[in-house]
Every structure is written in C-alpha cells, then in structure tokens.
Amino acid sequence: MKLVFATNNQHKLTEVRSILGNKFEILSLADIGCNDDIPETAETLEGNASIKAWYVARNYGMNCFADDTGLEVEALDMRPGVYSARYAGSQKSSSDNMNKLLFELDKINNRKARFRTVISLIIDNEEKLFEGIVDGNIISEKLGDEGFGYDPLFKPLGYEQTFAQMDIDEKNKISHRGRAVEKLIAYLQKLED
Ligand code: ITT
C-alpha cells in the first residue's frame, strides 16, 4: 500500500520509515511535489494531525497520515503541548525551546513529563486516529546528539539514557511515535487481510 506521510520534519520521516521498513511504501510531501507549510491552527494535537492529513487527502487525492506531537510537562500544566514547536517563538529552534523549558523548570522538583503523538490516517476519505504516549522526566542538562527536538532533555521512565543518547531503533521501540505507528500498522494490516 502507498501512503503519504504529511510532514515537513525530516527526522519524523526517518523514524517512521525505519519502523515501517518495507511493509508499506511511504511517500514524503516532497515526493508528491507538495512544498506547502500546512498551517497548524487547531488547539489540540488531534486537531492539527487531522488538518495536516486532510490537507493532503483533499488537495492531492491520496491516502495519507500525519503526526502531531507535543511534550506535556506536569509542573507546567501540560505545556508546551500542542505549542511545542513554537514554545520559544515561531522560528522553531529546538535549542531555544529546550533553553526555555530549562528556565521554566528551574528550581522545580517535579520533572514529570510525557510525549504524546496523535496520528491521523485518511484512507478513502475516512479518518482514524491513533495515539502513542511515553512517560518520563525532564533532566537539567542536555545529553546526547541523536534524535531531534526535545530529545536531549527527555529521559523515558525506567531508562538511564535520554532519547538523544539512544539510537533510532531503541527510541522507536519505546517512543510515543513508535507506539502510535505500531497501532497504525496493526490497523493497516487488518485492512489488507
Ligand atoms: P510537521 O508538523 O511538519 O510534522 P513539526 O516539527 O512542526 O513537523 P509538530 O508540529 O508535531 O512537528 O511539533 C512538535 C514539536 O515537538 C517540534 O518542536 C518537535 O521538535 C518536537 N518533537 C516532536 N517529536 C519529537 C520527538 O520524537 N522527540 C523530541 N521532540 C519532538
């Protein structure tokens, strides 16, 4: 089955392709000639995932899925959440976002956080949502060079390394995105049976 993954984030594309292997053919936005920065105007992860996926389904007439992800920090009332990409401003710099997070959590003992991914899948104009969550803690200094976004500050529960210290397969096994994609695969495989 051919599916478009509606993301402009190369790291997400690499992670998802690595999980899906050769089970499904995943096309990027570039592959279908879409260079648009799809506006993410919703106030929830579900809403934004849905906007991105419908944008491609409607404008390109292709089956597709999109991922919207947020870092939800307990002591910050689950912020930055849906605003994770623009936490420190609209320029989307991961380093600025992490610095702001460290500043906001300075002297705060409760470091509990979770990553939450929502995937919207649209097949034949019907939408299905899949969620993946991983619990963890925000550490007080950046560790590791792998991954992307907030990975150097996020240590998943039960592990001694941050996501940025793990290789892509290790992260995918336990991550929010990995868990959401496993549900997506199970659904797609049932459709193909
Ligand atoms: P698309 O919308 O084009 O898919 P994006 O980077 O804008 O790409 P989101 O809207 O989902 O993605 O924004 C999520 C923010 O959270 C963004 O700043 C990412 O760097 C960060 N993020 C997403 N997934 C992450 C992960 O697995 N590890 C660390 N940070 C992540």
Side-chain angles (χ1 to χ4, degrees), residues 5-9 12 15 29 37 40 45 48 52 67-71 81-86 92 94 97 115 117 147-152 163 171 175-177:
F5 181 18
T7 182
N8 282 310
N9 184 320
K12 284 187 185 178
E15 285 186 5
L29 289 178
D37 190 13
E40 295 179 40
L45 299 177
N48 278 338
K52 290 185 265 190
D67 147 330
D68 207 53
T69 295
L71 176 66
V82 71
Y83 302 107
S84 294
R86 294 158 277 166
K92 289 193 176 186
S94 292
N97 286 339
F115 273 117
T117 289
F148 67 101
Y150 297 88
D151 280 346
F163 271 157
K171 179 183 170 188
S175 79
H176 43 300
R177 181 163 302 102

Side-chain angles (χ1 to χ4, degrees), residues 117-133:
T117 289
V118 175
I119 289 178
S120 158
L121 168 73
I122 296 170
I123 301 230
D124 298 336
N125 288 317
E126 284 214 25
E127 182 178 26
K128 257 322 257 172
L129 297 177
F130 306 93
E131 185 186 57
I133 292 176

